[in-house]
Each structure stands twice: as C-alpha cells, then as structure tokens.
Amino acid sequence: MDINGTLRLHLYDPTHMETDEGALLLCPVEFQTHSKSSSLIRVAKYDTFNTSMMLDTSRIVVVQLDGAVSILDSLSPDAFKRLSLLQGQLVRHVQHMAGLNPRSYRSGQSGSSGAGRSLSKGILDGSLLRSFKMLTLPKQRAIASQIGETFDKIMLDCMDLDSEPW
C-alpha cells in the first residue's frame, strides 16, 4: 500500500512476457482505498470446522489512519468467479450511499503499464457483497438467476465471507 492509499497486489510469473523471465513483477490488481494505512498485519487462517488446524493461506488486516479496519482474504477460484459476477449485478441493482458508484470509487489509477485495462478486477468489495443478504428473497433469486448460478451457491459464498474464524 502506498502513501496515497492505493493497494497494489504483485504477481511473480517468470513465464509471462512482461516480466523479463521473472526479473520484474506484474501488477494485475490495483485498488483505491482512499485512506492512508498505518499498518498491515498478516494473520494465519484456520479451518472452519477444526479451529486448531492452521491452513496454508493467511489474511491481511489493514489498519488505516481514519480508524477503518479492512481485511484482505483469499477465495477459491470458483467462489471468486461467482462473487465477482454477483458484485457486478449489485453495482447495478443496489442503491449506493450518497449515489456513489463503488466501481468508479475503487478503481485504480492506471499508469503507463496498465493503460486500457481494469486494475481493480482482482478485488471484491465485501461490504457490497454483504448487502446481497439484505435484499428481499425474490430479488436475491432474480439476481442469482441473472448471473447463471443457483441461489444456494451464492448464499453459501456470501455466508462464508462472514463465518470464517480468525
């Protein structure tokens, strides 16, 4: 995270042409937090059913100067795909605070290397995804059918966002 509140996730891929055989890192994701961070803390993840078993992944807790606390967490590729499609529908269907569009508010500033591509594609907005559970049941089912997934899978993915133990 830089001093302007821009979070960049870097990727090591020696097979990609732009990395010069692994000498350079790729920056596929850039996310604007609009707040300067004071610290980043890495916390181990534990199994949902067996809280004494630590997993190979971890989450990052971001503490910001304005008092906000954010969590960066990993998802399975299938859950990410479903929730990404859900987020796209929620941006269009949910009324946003003060009329702000979360997509344009969170979009990163693409530099010379990122021109012409969306840099915020790899990050999901948990607050926006949690709003899905607040919609009426018919609206939830309609959105789930619009993205081509079952309501049960989408609801399980949304519940997993909140239920994982520290």
Short mmCIF file of all heavy atoms in Angstrom, two decimals, residues 87-150:
data_model
loop_
_atom_site.label_atom_id
_atom_site.label_comp_id
_atom_site.label_asym_id
_atom_site.label_seq_id
_atom_site.Cartn_x
_atom_site.Cartn_y
_atom_site.Cartn_z
N GLN A 87 -21.07 -9.26 -7.63
CA GLN A 87 -20.71 -7.87 -7.38
C GLN A 87 -21.09 -6.98 -8.56
O GLN A 87 -21.59 -5.88 -8.38
CB GLN A 87 -19.21 -7.77 -7.10
CG GLN A 87 -18.74 -6.34 -6.88
CD GLN A 87 -17.30 -6.29 -6.43
OE1 GLN A 87 -16.99 -6.71 -5.34
NE2 GLN A 87 -16.43 -5.77 -7.28
N GLY A 88 -20.87 -7.49 -9.77
CA GLY A 88 -21.26 -6.72 -10.96
C GLY A 88 -22.76 -6.43 -10.99
O GLY A 88 -23.19 -5.33 -11.36
N GLN A 89 -23.57 -7.40 -10.60
CA GLN A 89 -25.02 -7.19 -10.56
C GLN A 89 -25.40 -6.24 -9.43
O GLN A 89 -26.29 -5.40 -9.59
CB GLN A 89 -25.74 -8.53 -10.37
CG GLN A 89 -25.70 -9.41 -11.59
CD GLN A 89 -26.41 -8.80 -12.77
OE1 GLN A 89 -27.49 -8.23 -12.64
NE2 GLN A 89 -25.80 -8.89 -13.94
N LEU A 90 -24.75 -6.36 -8.28
CA LEU A 90 -25.10 -5.49 -7.15
C LEU A 90 -24.74 -4.03 -7.41
O LEU A 90 -25.44 -3.14 -6.95
CB LEU A 90 -24.40 -5.99 -5.88
CG LEU A 90 -24.91 -7.31 -5.33
CD1 LEU A 90 -24.06 -7.77 -4.16
CD2 LEU A 90 -26.37 -7.22 -4.93
N VAL A 91 -23.67 -3.81 -8.17
CA VAL A 91 -23.31 -2.43 -8.52
C VAL A 91 -24.45 -1.78 -9.29
O VAL A 91 -24.76 -0.61 -9.11
CB VAL A 91 -22.00 -2.40 -9.33
CG1 VAL A 91 -21.79 -1.06 -10.02
CG2 VAL A 91 -20.81 -2.71 -8.44
N ARG A 92 -25.14 -2.58 -10.12
CA ARG A 92 -26.23 -2.04 -10.92
C ARG A 92 -27.58 -2.02 -10.20
O ARG A 92 -28.43 -1.20 -10.50
CB ARG A 92 -26.36 -2.85 -12.21
CG ARG A 92 -25.22 -2.65 -13.17
CD ARG A 92 -25.46 -3.31 -14.50
NE ARG A 92 -25.26 -4.75 -14.49
CZ ARG A 92 -24.08 -5.36 -14.54
NH1 ARG A 92 -22.99 -4.64 -14.55
NH2 ARG A 92 -23.99 -6.67 -14.56
N HIS A 93 -27.81 -2.92 -9.23
CA HIS A 93 -29.14 -3.08 -8.65
C HIS A 93 -29.32 -2.51 -7.25
O HIS A 93 -30.45 -2.31 -6.82
CB HIS A 93 -29.53 -4.57 -8.63
CG HIS A 93 -29.83 -5.11 -9.98
ND1 HIS A 93 -28.86 -5.69 -10.76
CD2 HIS A 93 -30.97 -5.16 -10.70
CE1 HIS A 93 -29.40 -6.07 -11.90
NE2 HIS A 93 -30.67 -5.77 -11.89
N VAL A 94 -28.24 -2.29 -6.52
CA VAL A 94 -28.36 -1.82 -5.14
C VAL A 94 -28.15 -0.31 -5.12
O VAL A 94 -27.26 0.21 -5.79
CB VAL A 94 -27.31 -2.52 -4.24
CG1 VAL A 94 -27.28 -1.93 -2.86
CG2 VAL A 94 -27.59 -4.01 -4.18
N GLN A 95 -28.98 0.38 -4.33
CA GLN A 95 -28.81 1.82 -4.18
C GLN A 95 -27.60 2.07 -3.30
O GLN A 95 -27.47 1.50 -2.22
CB GLN A 95 -30.05 2.45 -3.58
CG GLN A 95 -29.99 3.95 -3.59
CD GLN A 95 -31.36 4.55 -3.39
OE1 GLN A 95 -32.33 3.86 -3.13
NE2 GLN A 95 -31.44 5.85 -3.48
N HIS A 96 -26.68 2.93 -3.75
CA HIS A 96 -25.43 3.15 -3.06
C HIS A 96 -25.47 4.42 -2.22
O HIS A 96 -26.19 5.37 -2.54
CB HIS A 96 -24.28 3.22 -4.07
CG HIS A 96 -24.24 2.04 -4.98
ND1 HIS A 96 -23.94 0.78 -4.52
CD2 HIS A 96 -24.49 1.90 -6.30
CE1 HIS A 96 -23.99 -0.07 -5.52
NE2 HIS A 96 -24.33 0.58 -6.62
N MET A 97 -24.68 4.42 -1.16
CA MET A 97 -24.63 5.55 -0.25
C MET A 97 -24.23 6.82 -1.00
O MET A 97 -23.23 6.82 -1.72
CB MET A 97 -23.64 5.27 0.88
CG MET A 97 -23.64 6.35 1.94
SD MET A 97 -22.47 6.01 3.26
CE MET A 97 -23.05 4.46 3.88
N ALA A 98 -24.99 7.85 -0.84
CA ALA A 98 -24.75 9.16 -1.44
C ALA A 98 -24.66 9.09 -2.97
O ALA A 98 -24.10 9.98 -3.60
CB ALA A 98 -23.48 9.79 -0.87
N GLY A 99 -25.21 8.04 -3.55
CA GLY A 99 -25.21 7.91 -5.00
C GLY A 99 -23.84 7.61 -5.59
O GLY A 99 -23.64 7.72 -6.79
N LEU A 100 -22.86 7.20 -4.75
CA LEU A 100 -21.52 6.91 -5.25
C LEU A 100 -21.49 5.52 -5.87
O LEU A 100 -21.98 4.56 -5.29
CB LEU A 100 -20.50 6.97 -4.11
CG LEU A 100 -20.31 8.34 -3.46
CD1 LEU A 100 -19.39 8.22 -2.25
CD2 LEU A 100 -19.74 9.32 -4.46
N ASN A 101 -20.91 5.42 -7.03
CA ASN A 101 -20.73 4.13 -7.68
C ASN A 101 -19.47 3.47 -7.13
O ASN A 101 -18.38 4.01 -7.31
CB ASN A 101 -20.61 4.33 -9.19
CG ASN A 101 -20.47 3.04 -9.94
OD1 ASN A 101 -20.16 1.99 -9.38
ND2 ASN A 101 -20.69 3.10 -11.24
N PRO A 102 -19.57 2.33 -6.44
CA PRO A 102 -18.38 1.73 -5.85
C PRO A 102 -17.34 1.30 -6.87
O PRO A 102 -16.16 1.24 -6.58
CB PRO A 102 -18.91 0.51 -5.09
CG PRO A 102 -20.30 0.33 -5.50
CD PRO A 102 -20.78 1.57 -6.16
N ARG A 103 -17.76 1.02 -8.10
CA ARG A 103 -16.80 0.61 -9.12
C ARG A 103 -15.87 1.76 -9.48
O ARG A 103 -14.65 1.62 -9.50
CB ARG A 103 -17.52 0.12 -10.38
CG ARG A 103 -16.54 -0.34 -11.45
CD ARG A 103 -17.26 -0.82 -12.68
NE ARG A 103 -17.97 -2.05 -12.37
CZ ARG A 103 -18.98 -2.52 -13.08
NH1 ARG A 103 -19.42 -1.85 -14.12
NH2 ARG A 103 -19.56 -3.64 -12.75
N SER A 104 -16.41 2.94 -9.73
CA SER A 104 -15.55 4.07 -10.09
C SER A 104 -14.82 4.62 -8.88
O SER A 104 -13.71 5.13 -8.98
CB SER A 104 -16.36 5.17 -10.76
OG SER A 104 -17.34 5.66 -9.88
N TYR A 105 -15.41 4.50 -7.70
CA TYR A 105 -14.77 4.99 -6.47
C TYR A 105 -13.54 4.17 -6.14
O TYR A 105 -12.54 4.69 -5.66
CB TYR A 105 -15.79 4.92 -5.32
CG TYR A 105 -15.24 5.34 -3.99
CD1 TYR A 105 -14.96 6.68 -3.74
CD2 TYR A 105 -15.03 4.41 -2.97
CE1 TYR A 105 -14.48 7.08 -2.50
CE2 TYR A 105 -14.55 4.81 -1.74
CZ TYR A 105 -14.28 6.14 -1.51
OH TYR A 105 -13.79 6.54 -0.29
N ARG A 106 -13.58 2.87 -6.39
CA ARG A 106 -12.48 1.98 -6.04
C ARG A 106 -11.49 1.73 -7.17
O ARG A 106 -10.49 1.08 -6.97
CB ARG A 106 -13.03 0.61 -5.60
CG ARG A 106 -13.86 0.66 -4.39
CD ARG A 106 -13.02 0.98 -3.19
NE ARG A 106 -13.80 0.81 -1.98
CZ ARG A 106 -13.47 1.33 -0.82
NH1 ARG A 106 -12.39 2.05 -0.70
NH2 ARG A 106 -14.22 1.14 0.23
N SER A 107 -11.77 2.23 -8.36
CA SER A 107 -10.90 1.91 -9.49
C SER A 107 -9.52 2.53 -9.30
O SER A 107 -9.39 3.65 -8.81
CB SER A 107 -11.51 2.37 -10.81
OG SER A 107 -11.63 3.77 -10.81
N GLY A 108 -8.51 1.79 -9.69
CA GLY A 108 -7.14 2.26 -9.56
C GLY A 108 -6.78 3.22 -10.68
O GLY A 108 -7.44 3.29 -11.71
N GLN A 109 -5.74 3.97 -10.46
CA GLN A 109 -5.24 4.88 -11.48
C GLN A 109 -4.23 4.13 -12.32
O GLN A 109 -3.16 3.77 -11.84
CB GLN A 109 -4.57 6.09 -10.82
CG GLN A 109 -5.48 6.84 -9.86
CD GLN A 109 -6.67 7.43 -10.56
OE1 GLN A 109 -6.56 7.94 -11.68
NE2 GLN A 109 -7.82 7.39 -9.92
N SER A 110 -4.56 3.83 -13.56
CA SER A 110 -3.65 3.05 -14.39
C SER A 110 -2.54 3.94 -14.93
O SER A 110 -2.78 5.00 -15.47
CB SER A 110 -4.40 2.38 -15.54
OG SER A 110 -5.03 3.35 -16.31
N GLY A 111 -1.33 3.47 -14.73
CA GLY A 111 -0.17 4.19 -15.24
C GLY A 111 0.14 3.76 -16.65
O GLY A 111 -0.71 3.23 -17.37
N SER A 112 1.39 3.93 -17.05
CA SER A 112 1.75 3.58 -18.42
C SER A 112 1.65 2.08 -18.67
O SER A 112 1.31 1.65 -19.75
CB SER A 112 3.18 4.07 -18.71
OG SER A 112 4.08 3.45 -17.81
N SER A 113 1.95 1.27 -17.63
CA SER A 113 1.90 -0.18 -17.84
C SER A 113 0.48 -0.73 -17.78
O SER A 113 0.23 -1.82 -18.24
CB SER A 113 2.75 -0.89 -16.79
OG SER A 113 2.21 -0.64 -15.51
N GLY A 114 -0.44 0.01 -17.18
CA GLY A 114 -1.79 -0.51 -17.02
C GLY A 114 -2.82 0.17 -17.88
O GLY A 114 -4.00 0.08 -17.62
N ALA A 115 -2.39 0.90 -18.88
CA ALA A 115 -3.32 1.65 -19.70
C ALA A 115 -4.27 0.71 -20.44
O ALA A 115 -3.87 -0.30 -20.99
CB ALA A 115 -2.56 2.50 -20.72
N GLY A 116 -5.54 1.03 -20.40
CA GLY A 116 -6.53 0.29 -21.15
C GLY A 116 -7.04 -0.97 -20.48
O GLY A 116 -7.72 -1.75 -21.10
N ARG A 117 -6.71 -1.22 -19.21
CA ARG A 117 -7.21 -2.42 -18.55
C ARG A 117 -7.72 -2.05 -17.16
O ARG A 117 -7.26 -1.10 -16.55
CB ARG A 117 -6.14 -3.49 -18.46
CG ARG A 117 -4.95 -3.11 -17.63
CD ARG A 117 -3.90 -4.21 -17.69
NE ARG A 117 -2.70 -3.73 -17.06
CZ ARG A 117 -2.24 -4.16 -15.91
NH1 ARG A 117 -2.87 -5.10 -15.27
NH2 ARG A 117 -1.14 -3.68 -15.40
N SER A 118 -8.66 -2.82 -16.69
CA SER A 118 -9.21 -2.59 -15.37
C SER A 118 -8.29 -3.19 -14.32
O SER A 118 -8.03 -4.38 -14.34
CB SER A 118 -10.60 -3.22 -15.26
OG SER A 118 -11.07 -3.11 -13.95
N LEU A 119 -7.79 -2.36 -13.42
CA LEU A 119 -6.84 -2.84 -12.43
C LEU A 119 -7.51 -3.30 -11.14
O LEU A 119 -6.87 -3.86 -10.28
CB LEU A 119 -5.82 -1.74 -12.12
CG LEU A 119 -4.89 -1.38 -13.27
CD1 LEU A 119 -4.03 -0.19 -12.90
CD2 LEU A 119 -4.02 -2.55 -13.63
N SER A 120 -8.80 -3.06 -10.97
CA SER A 120 -9.47 -3.45 -9.73
C SER A 120 -10.24 -4.76 -9.90
O SER A 120 -11.03 -5.11 -9.05
CB SER A 120 -10.40 -2.34 -9.26
OG SER A 120 -11.38 -2.09 -10.22
N LYS A 121 -10.00 -5.49 -10.97
CA LYS A 121 -10.74 -6.72 -11.23
C LYS A 121 -10.47 -7.83 -10.22
O LYS A 121 -11.29 -8.69 -10.01
CB LYS A 121 -10.42 -7.23 -12.63
CG LYS A 121 -11.34 -6.71 -13.68
CD LYS A 121 -11.32 -7.68 -14.83
CE LYS A 121 -12.28 -7.34 -15.92
NZ LYS A 121 -13.65 -7.48 -15.62
N GLY A 122 -9.31 -7.85 -9.58
CA GLY A 122 -8.96 -8.95 -8.70
C GLY A 122 -9.42 -8.80 -7.27
O GLY A 122 -9.12 -9.65 -6.45
N ILE A 123 -10.12 -7.74 -6.94
CA ILE A 123 -10.55 -7.49 -5.57
C ILE A 123 -12.06 -7.33 -5.54
O ILE A 123 -12.65 -6.64 -6.36
CB ILE A 123 -9.86 -6.24 -4.99
CG1 ILE A 123 -8.37 -6.50 -4.87
CG2 ILE A 123 -10.46 -5.86 -3.66
CD1 ILE A 123 -7.59 -5.44 -4.18
N LEU A 124 -12.68 -8.00 -4.56
CA LEU A 124 -14.12 -7.89 -4.36
C LEU A 124 -14.40 -6.99 -3.16
O LEU A 124 -13.64 -6.98 -2.20
CB LEU A 124 -14.72 -9.28 -4.12
CG LEU A 124 -14.53 -10.28 -5.25
CD1 LEU A 124 -15.04 -11.65 -4.83
CD2 LEU A 124 -15.23 -9.81 -6.50
N ASP A 125 -15.49 -6.27 -3.20
CA ASP A 125 -15.89 -5.37 -2.13
C ASP A 125 -16.82 -6.13 -1.18
O ASP A 125 -17.98 -6.38 -1.50
CB ASP A 125 -16.58 -4.15 -2.72
CG ASP A 125 -16.83 -3.05 -1.70
OD1 ASP A 125 -16.83 -3.35 -0.49
OD2 ASP A 125 -17.01 -1.91 -2.12
N GLY A 126 -16.29 -6.52 -0.02
CA GLY A 126 -17.07 -7.31 0.94
C GLY A 126 -18.31 -6.61 1.44
O GLY A 126 -19.35 -7.23 1.64
N SER A 127 -18.23 -5.30 1.64
CA SER A 127 -19.41 -4.55 2.11
C SER A 127 -20.53 -4.60 1.09
O SER A 127 -21.70 -4.77 1.44
CB SER A 127 -19.03 -3.09 2.39
OG SER A 127 -18.05 -3.02 3.37
N LEU A 128 -20.17 -4.47 -0.17
CA LEU A 128 -21.17 -4.54 -1.23
C LEU A 128 -21.76 -5.94 -1.32
O LEU A 128 -22.97 -6.12 -1.46
CB LEU A 128 -20.56 -4.12 -2.56
CG LEU A 128 -21.47 -4.13 -3.78
CD1 LEU A 128 -22.63 -3.16 -3.59
CD2 LEU A 128 -20.68 -3.78 -5.02
N LEU A 129 -20.91 -6.97 -1.21
CA LEU A 129 -21.39 -8.35 -1.30
C LEU A 129 -22.29 -8.71 -0.11
O LEU A 129 -23.25 -9.47 -0.25
CB LEU A 129 -20.22 -9.32 -1.38
CG LEU A 129 -19.43 -9.26 -2.69
CD1 LEU A 129 -18.16 -10.05 -2.59
CD2 LEU A 129 -20.29 -9.73 -3.84
N ARG A 130 -22.02 -8.15 1.06
CA ARG A 130 -22.86 -8.43 2.22
C ARG A 130 -24.25 -7.81 2.05
O ARG A 130 -25.21 -8.26 2.67
CB ARG A 130 -22.20 -7.90 3.49
CG ARG A 130 -21.11 -8.80 3.97
CD ARG A 130 -20.52 -8.32 5.29
NE ARG A 130 -19.31 -9.05 5.57
CZ ARG A 130 -18.08 -8.66 5.19
NH1 ARG A 130 -17.93 -7.52 4.54
NH2 ARG A 130 -17.04 -9.39 5.47
N SER A 131 -24.37 -6.79 1.23
CA SER A 131 -25.68 -6.17 1.01
C SER A 131 -26.63 -7.12 0.28
O SER A 131 -27.84 -6.92 0.31
CB SER A 131 -25.53 -4.86 0.23
OG SER A 131 -25.14 -5.11 -1.10
N PHE A 132 -26.10 -8.16 -0.37
CA PHE A 132 -26.94 -9.14 -1.05
C PHE A 132 -27.87 -9.82 -0.05
O PHE A 132 -29.03 -10.09 -0.36
CB PHE A 132 -26.07 -10.19 -1.75
CG PHE A 132 -26.84 -11.27 -2.45
CD1 PHE A 132 -27.53 -11.01 -3.62
CD2 PHE A 132 -26.87 -12.56 -1.93
CE1 PHE A 132 -28.24 -12.01 -4.27
CE2 PHE A 132 -27.57 -13.56 -2.56
CZ PHE A 132 -28.26 -13.29 -3.74
N LYS A 133 -27.39 -10.09 1.16
CA LYS A 133 -28.21 -10.77 2.17
C LYS A 133 -29.33 -9.88 2.69
O LYS A 133 -30.28 -10.37 3.28
CB LYS A 133 -27.33 -11.23 3.33
CG LYS A 133 -26.33 -12.31 2.92
CD LYS A 133 -25.62 -12.91 4.09
CE LYS A 133 -24.63 -11.95 4.68
NZ LYS A 133 -23.80 -12.55 5.74
N MET A 134 -29.23 -8.57 2.47
CA MET A 134 -30.26 -7.64 2.94
C MET A 134 -31.39 -7.43 1.93
O MET A 134 -32.39 -6.81 2.25
CB MET A 134 -29.63 -6.27 3.27
CG MET A 134 -28.54 -6.33 4.29
SD MET A 134 -29.17 -7.02 5.81
CE MET A 134 -27.67 -7.45 6.62
N LEU A 135 -31.21 -7.95 0.73
CA LEU A 135 -32.25 -7.81 -0.29
C LEU A 135 -33.40 -8.76 0.00
O LEU A 135 -33.25 -9.73 0.74
CB LEU A 135 -31.67 -8.12 -1.68
CG LEU A 135 -30.56 -7.22 -2.19
CD1 LEU A 135 -29.99 -7.76 -3.49
CD2 LEU A 135 -31.05 -5.80 -2.37
N THR A 136 -34.55 -8.49 -0.60
CA THR A 136 -35.69 -9.40 -0.45
C THR A 136 -35.38 -10.72 -1.15
O THR A 136 -34.57 -10.77 -2.09
CB THR A 136 -36.96 -8.79 -1.05
OG1 THR A 136 -36.76 -8.61 -2.46
CG2 THR A 136 -37.30 -7.47 -0.39
N LEU A 137 -36.01 -11.78 -0.71
CA LEU A 137 -35.76 -13.11 -1.28
C LEU A 137 -36.04 -13.17 -2.78
O LEU A 137 -35.22 -13.72 -3.53
CB LEU A 137 -36.57 -14.16 -0.52
CG LEU A 137 -36.26 -15.61 -0.83
CD1 LEU A 137 -34.79 -15.93 -0.56
CD2 LEU A 137 -37.14 -16.52 -0.01
N PRO A 138 -37.15 -12.61 -3.28
CA PRO A 138 -37.36 -12.64 -4.75
C PRO A 138 -36.27 -11.89 -5.51
O PRO A 138 -35.84 -12.34 -6.58
CB PRO A 138 -38.71 -11.94 -4.93
CG PRO A 138 -39.40 -12.07 -3.62
CD PRO A 138 -38.34 -12.07 -2.58
N LYS A 139 -35.77 -10.77 -4.95
CA LYS A 139 -34.70 -10.02 -5.61
C LYS A 139 -33.40 -10.82 -5.60
O LYS A 139 -32.66 -10.84 -6.59
CB LYS A 139 -34.51 -8.68 -4.92
CG LYS A 139 -33.55 -7.77 -5.60
CD LYS A 139 -34.27 -6.56 -6.07
CE LYS A 139 -33.25 -5.59 -6.65
NZ LYS A 139 -33.83 -4.73 -7.61
N GLN A 140 -33.11 -11.51 -4.48
CA GLN A 140 -31.92 -12.35 -4.41
C GLN A 140 -31.97 -13.45 -5.46
O GLN A 140 -30.99 -13.71 -6.15
CB GLN A 140 -31.79 -12.98 -3.02
CG GLN A 140 -31.41 -12.03 -1.92
CD GLN A 140 -31.43 -12.71 -0.56
OE1 GLN A 140 -31.97 -13.80 -0.38
NE2 GLN A 140 -30.84 -12.04 0.42
N ARG A 141 -33.11 -14.10 -5.56
CA ARG A 141 -33.26 -15.19 -6.53
C ARG A 141 -33.14 -14.67 -7.97
O ARG A 141 -32.57 -15.33 -8.83
CB ARG A 141 -34.57 -15.92 -6.32
CG ARG A 141 -34.59 -16.71 -5.03
CD ARG A 141 -35.81 -17.61 -4.95
NE ARG A 141 -35.89 -18.28 -3.68
CZ ARG A 141 -35.22 -19.39 -3.36
NH1 ARG A 141 -34.43 -19.94 -4.23
NH2 ARG A 141 -35.36 -19.94 -2.17
N ALA A 142 -33.69 -13.50 -8.23
CA ALA A 142 -33.61 -12.92 -9.57
C ALA A 142 -32.16 -12.60 -9.94
O ALA A 142 -31.72 -12.89 -11.06
CB ALA A 142 -34.47 -11.66 -9.64
N ILE A 143 -31.41 -12.02 -9.01
CA ILE A 143 -30.01 -11.70 -9.29
C ILE A 143 -29.20 -12.97 -9.49
O ILE A 143 -28.35 -13.05 -10.38
CB ILE A 143 -29.43 -10.82 -8.16
CG1 ILE A 143 -30.07 -9.42 -8.22
CG2 ILE A 143 -27.92 -10.72 -8.26
CD1 ILE A 143 -29.66 -8.50 -7.10
N ALA A 144 -29.46 -13.99 -8.67
CA ALA A 144 -28.74 -15.27 -8.81
C ALA A 144 -29.01 -15.88 -10.18
O ALA A 144 -28.09 -16.40 -10.84
CB ALA A 144 -29.14 -16.23 -7.71
N SER A 145 -30.24 -15.82 -10.65
CA SER A 145 -30.55 -16.39 -11.97
C SER A 145 -29.94 -15.55 -13.09
O SER A 145 -29.57 -16.09 -14.14
CB SER A 145 -32.06 -16.53 -12.15
OG SER A 145 -32.67 -15.27 -12.25
N GLN A 146 -29.83 -14.24 -12.89
CA GLN A 146 -29.22 -13.38 -13.91
C GLN A 146 -27.74 -13.71 -14.14
O GLN A 146 -27.24 -13.56 -15.25
CB GLN A 146 -29.35 -11.91 -13.53
CG GLN A 146 -30.74 -11.36 -13.69
CD GLN A 146 -30.85 -9.93 -13.17
OE1 GLN A 146 -29.93 -9.39 -12.58
NE2 GLN A 146 -32.02 -9.33 -13.38
N ILE A 147 -27.06 -14.14 -13.09
CA ILE A 147 -25.64 -14.47 -13.26
C ILE A 147 -25.42 -15.94 -13.57
O ILE A 147 -24.30 -16.39 -13.73
CB ILE A 147 -24.80 -14.04 -12.03
CG1 ILE A 147 -25.24 -14.77 -10.77
CG2 ILE A 147 -24.83 -12.56 -11.86
CD1 ILE A 147 -24.37 -14.47 -9.57
N GLY A 148 -26.50 -16.71 -13.65
CA GLY A 148 -26.41 -18.10 -14.06
C GLY A 148 -25.94 -19.06 -12.98
O GLY A 148 -25.37 -20.09 -13.29
N GLU A 149 -26.18 -18.72 -11.75
CA GLU A 149 -25.80 -19.58 -10.63
C GLU A 149 -27.02 -19.87 -9.78
O GLU A 149 -28.01 -19.16 -9.83
CB GLU A 149 -24.73 -18.91 -9.75
CG GLU A 149 -23.38 -18.79 -10.40
CD GLU A 149 -22.69 -20.12 -10.60
OE1 GLU A 149 -23.05 -21.11 -9.92
OE2 GLU A 149 -21.79 -20.18 -11.44
N THR A 150 -26.92 -20.93 -8.98
CA THR A 150 -28.03 -21.26 -8.09
C THR A 150 -28.01 -20.32 -6.89
O THR A 150 -26.94 -19.88 -6.45
CB THR A 150 -27.96 -22.72 -7.61
OG1 THR A 150 -26.80 -22.88 -6.81
CG2 THR A 150 -27.95 -23.68 -8.78
#
